Amino acid sequence: MDNTFHYVYILTSKIDKIRHYTGVTTDIEARLRAHNVGQVPHTAKYRPWHFTFCYFRLRRKTKIRKRLVLGYGRTMKRELLGHLERLGI
C-alpha cells in the first residue's frame, strides 16, 4: 500500500479575497510555490495565494475532495470558508 499523504487544500487569493482554488497534491509546499510563481494557469491571474484550509489523507480518492471540488461541494466549501472567517482564521 502506498502511504503517501495526499492533501486537499483550498487557496484564497491575497489580491481578490472572493477567489478560491481547490486542489489535491502530495507536496503541499511545492504546490503553493507553483501557484504563486504562475506555473498553474488557472490561478496565475490572481496570485499570490495563501492556504485557507488543508486536509490530508493517505488515499487519493477521498470523499472530502469530491465534495469540495465537485459542483455540489461548492456550498460546503462556502460554508467552511464562512466559518473560518468568523473564527478569524
Side-chain angles (χ1 to χ4, degrees):
M1 181 179 155
D2 180 13
N3 285 332
T4 304
F5 283 105
H6 290 84
Y7 298 86
V8 176
Y9 61 92
I10 300 174
L11 300 177
T12 300
S13 170
K14 289 184 178 182
I15 62 166
D16 187 351
K17 304 288 187 207
I18 66 166
R19 298 289 177 178
H20 302 284
Y21 178 85
T22 305
V24 178
T25 186
T26 57
D27 187 339
I28 199 79
E29 292 175 8
R31 190 64 177 154
L32 180 61
R33 260 191 316 277
H35 284 289
N36 283 331
V37 298
Q39 293 176 342
V40 181
H42 189 75
T43 59
K45 184 176 177 181
Y46 299 103
R47 61 187 174 164
W49 296 86
H50 69 275
F51 286 112
T52 303
F53 176 78
C54 186
Y55 178 84
F56 66 91
R57 284 288 218 178
L58 288 174
R59 292 178 285 131
R60 179 156 172 62
K61 300 290 183 186
T62 64
K63 288 181 183 176
I64 194 167
R65 182 214 180 248
K66 290 177 186 174
R67 288 185 182 135
L68 291 175
V69 176
L70 296 176
Y72 70 90
R74 290 187 181 136
T75 300
M76 181 180 152
K77 182 168 46 174
R78 278 190 221 110
E79 289 173 3
L80 172 64
L81 292 170
H83 181 67
L84 293 173
E85 185 176 309
R86 286 189 296 278
L87 292 174
I89 298 172

